Amino acid sequence: MTIPCDILVFGGTGDLALHKLLPALYHLFREARLNNAVRIIALARRNLPRNDYLKLAERHCRAQIARNDFDEEVWQRFSARLDYFAMDAAQSADFGRLARYLGEPGGLTRIFYLATAPNLFVPIANHLRIAGLADPEARIVLEKPIGHSHASATAINEAIGAVFEETQVFRIDHYLGKETVQNLMALRFANALLEPVWRNSQVDHVQISVCETLGVENRGGYYDRAGATRDMLQNHLLQLLCLVAMEPPAQFEAEAVRDEKVKILRALKPITGQDVQDTTVRGQYGAGRIGGQEVPAYYFEKDVDNDSDTETFVAVQAHIDSWRWAGVPFYLRTGKRMARRSSQIVIQFKPVPHELFNGGQVNQLLIQLQPEERISLRMMTKSPGKGMRLEPVDLDLNLAQVFGQTRRWDAYERLLLDILEGDSTLFMRRDEVEAAWAWIDPIIKGWEEHFQAPRPYAAGSNGPEQANSLLAHQGRHWHS
């Protein structure tokens, strides 16, 4: 059972709140994970009566929650804890009204979840301070992206740090809440079998891919300012890279884990100037077919400029200057409107020193994050019959089957529970965010200086052909 608290969700009528946060809180409530004194208060500008908001919330939650998981009686009890408060997050006076509405804490911890645009993070924090709501027990949750550059991220962090202590700040990246991502740490640090081969002497290269079939949906205005690099590479992919490459922490504790992740970000070899032409590829999807349906080119999407040069695909060859990983390339790739939806990490091992049999292939560890959560180790084995004909066979761990799960926890359920319990292990620390931007900024600057425009690729394909060349000239290829 978690602490008694008020959970205040700024941006309470937005997609994140309605599609992710409220369903996650419903599931936590259904499983008796929430304290009996918990209140959930959605805040937004729309002037909605509480009953109208409850109808809106129920409609969206029914759409997001599996039919056999939505219990009418549970929803009635859950919605009794749900309230709506109309206010403008940019207006200081509205925070005075909010303070009067909330009353004295009375032993409750207040959790402020900022499911808003990043440009509202600082004003909201300052208004909370002025209204006397940013007390030492409060917690504030910031959604990615934190800024759009190193300078802007630093400015946001400094402003938030002037109101809240670092221990009160939870910078959320929902990828870190995925079961398989957490299993990656268990796989690495709880199994003596893998530790001796988790290094440059045995690993040929690493691939980290997050591919989506969706376009920009209703996020065209935001996405056209951000692009794949700021939206995905700077946070999701670099966080996965850190978990693959980090050294074992002294103990499984928030600061020790985050210390090791920061070391990896600081060890990333900078990509500057003309290096961007050899080690990065930008792309932008054109018209094509996804699932048998024609879809428009990116520049015809809603709220996107017709002459936009924003990248919807990015691939990068990265190197980590450390003893463990010297000489091992890390290939990072993310894109929209790709051939299939898939998030995966591939650890490609080197071949055996002396090949005894014809047709042998190298071993490979595949960690699948979505659409399924599974871990597969590809081994070579003899095919039945005469002769030594080898075939690759996967030692396959399907987490849902092994543990008999009737329902997989959503990443937001785990992370919300961690926030309620005050556990910041799976959240980004200030120096993590800034170190990631310090590596990303020179790449973006290099593109601008050398006029590296996005390469076109058809929707429903595997991205621009130049991304294949990034690996092909070294005799490698993307895992499909």
Side-chain angles (χ1 to χ4, degrees):
M1 186 74 69
T2 55
I3 58 171
C5 63
D6 285 342
I7 303 171
L8 294 94
V9 181
F10 289 88
T13 56
D15 286 349
L16 176 60
L18 294 171
H19 294 171
K20 292 293 185 181
L21 301 182
L22 289 183
L25 289 167
Y26 165 85
H27 282 301
L28 292 175
F29 176 81
R30 183 182 179 184
E31 297 184 10
R33 302 275 184 170
L34 297 183
N35 190 284
N36 292 331
V38 165
R39 285 193 304 173
I40 303 160
I41 303 157
L43 308 115
R45 286 182 296 181
R46 290 170 63 181
N47 190 20
L48 289 174
R50 177 174 180 269
N51 284 341
D52 287 357
Y53 183 77
L54 293 184
K55 291 176 184 177
L56 177 70
E58 181 177 356
R59 184 170 72 251
H60 283 276
C61 285
R62 281 182 181 273
Q64 299 300 318
I65 298 170
R67 181 173 297 179
N68 59 341
D69 286 328
F70 191 92
D71 185 295
E72 298 283 353
E73 188 272 332
V74 173
W75 176 260
Q76 292 303 316
R77 290 190 289 113
F78 173 74
S79 62
R81 298 170 178 270
L82 182 59
D83 204 352
Y84 181 77
F85 188 85
M87 63 174 291
D88 187 341
Q91 298 297 321
S92 180
D94 280 3
F95 285 78
R97 288 197 304 111
L98 177 63
R100 291 189 294 275
Y101 163 78
L102 293 173
E104 292 298 320
L108 292 175
T109 298
R110 286 167 178 161
I111 297 172
F112 303 105
Y113 197 117
L114 275 54
T116 67
N119 64 319
L120 288 174
F121 291 173
V122 173
I124 290 175
N126 287 331
H127 295 330
L128 291 172
R129 175 182 56 81
I130 294 168
L133 294 172
D135 60 71
E137 300 303 316
R139 297 167 192 172
I140 187 167
V141 186
L142 308 180
E143 273 283 342
K144 68 90 180 172
I146 310 294
H148 61 272
S149 64
H150 181 266
S152 61
T154 301
I156 289 173
N157 283 331
E158 287 180 352
I160 296 294
V163 179
F164 295 93
E165 297 292 332
E166 181 64 24
T167 54
Q168 297 175 270
V169 183
F170 292 77
R171 299 173 187 84
I172 196 167
D173 183 334
H174 73 271
Y175 261 63
L176 298 184
K178 291 182 179 293
E179 192 73 58
T180 324
V181 172
Q182 295 175 61
N183 246 314
L184 176 56
M185 288 190 280
L187 190 73
R188 287 198 55 196
F189 303 135
N191 295 286
L193 177 69
L194 289 175
E195 172 56 26
V197 299
W198 208 270
R199 59 193 68 244
N200 55 6
S201 60
Q202 302 297 326
V203 175
D204 178 78
H205 71 278
V206 177
Q207 297 180 24
I208 302 175
S209 298
V210 178
C211 302
E212 302 174 280
T213 54
L214 293 174
V216 296
E217 303 303 297
N218 296 320
R219 301 166 69 230
Y222 155 74
Y223 197 89
D224 206 36
R225 297 189 302 272
T229 306
R230 293 183 172 99
D231 186 53
M232 296 291 289
L233 177 60
Q234 184 272 336
N235 38 75
H236 294 334
L237 272 74
L238 287 187
Q239 285 293 308
L240 295 178
L241 179 146
C242 287
L243 294 178
V244 171
M246 64 187 274
E247 294 297 321
Q251 57 271 334
F252 189 67
E253 167 283 314
E255 295 312 307
V257 170
R258 299 196 289 185
D259 284 345
E260 297 303 332
K261 287 163 65 183
V262 170
K263 290 177 186 177
I264 292 299
L265 292 170
R266 290 175 176 166
L268 280 170
K269 185 178 179 181
I271 300 175
T272 59
Q274 291 188 346
D275 290 343
V276 298
Q277 298 179 2
D278 299 324
T279 58
T280 73
V281 175
R282 301 175 75 205
Q284 185 185 97
Y285 65 80
R289 295 181 68 84
I290 300 283
Q293 293 186 338
E294 292 287 342
V295 297
Y298 171 73
Y299 44 80
F300 286 141
E301 297 278 20
K302 181 183 177 183
D303 298 327
V304 171
D305 290 340
N306 291 340
D307 59 351
S308 174
D309 65 350
T310 297
E311 77 280 358
T312 62
F313 174 99
V314 62
V316 176
Q317 177 183 313
H319 287 270
I320 300 171
D321 287 335
S322 71
W323 280 52
R324 183 183 290 267
W325 297 113
V328 177
F330 284 71
Y331 297 102
L332 313 178
R333 171 181 62 163
T334 183
K336 289 191 172 295
R337 291 296 192 204
M338 302 284 279
R340 59 186 58 84
R341 175 176 176 259
S342 177
S343 297
Q344 61 186 16
I345 301 167
V346 179
I347 312 296
Q348 187 74 59
F349 294 100
K350 292 180 178 179
V352 294
H354 175 60
E355 187 174 320
L356 286 175
F357 314 107
N358 291 328
Q361 297 183 23
V362 291
N363 301 128
Q364 185 181 80
L365 179 66
L366 173 64
I367 301 165
Q368 189 83 30
L369 308 179
Q370 62 183 30
E372 292 183 293
E373 295 183 331
R374 63 196 310 154
I375 300 169
S376 302
L377 179 61
R378 177 155 293 186
M379 308 286 288
M380 297 306 300
T381 187
K382 178 187 175 298
S383 178
K386 185 178 182 300
M388 291 297 294
R389 185 167 63 87
L390 303 186
E391 288 190 9
V393 174
D394 289 342
L395 305 180
D396 199 7
L397 170 63
N398 185 307
L399 297 176
Q401 292 178 0
V402 168
F403 293 105
Q405 293 172 298
T406 56
R407 185 186 70 83
R408 289 188 297 179
W409 273 47
D410 181 77
Y412 276 100
E413 292 176 52
R414 296 187 188 91
L415 296 175
L416 282 166
L417 195 57
D418 282 351
I419 294 165
L420 293 169
E421 294 176 347
D423 183 352
S424 55
T425 304
L426 296 176
F427 297 83
M428 293 177 287
R429 201 167 60 191
R430 170 180 176 166
D431 51 353
E432 277 186 75
V433 174
E434 293 173 11
W437 277 119
W439 188 71
I440 290 291
D441 275 2
I443 296 175
I444 296 174
K445 183 179 179 182
W447 290 337
E448 294 170 350
E449 289 178 345
H450 297 280
F451 308 103
Q452 188 163 328
R455 307 281 187 171
Y457 65 97
S461 70
N462 289 316
E465 181 57 37
Q466 290 79 5
N468 296 325
S469 302
L470 196 65
L471 281 72
H473 76 277
Q474 296 177 335
R476 303 182 176 111
H477 60 86
W478 293 106
H479 180 272
S480 175

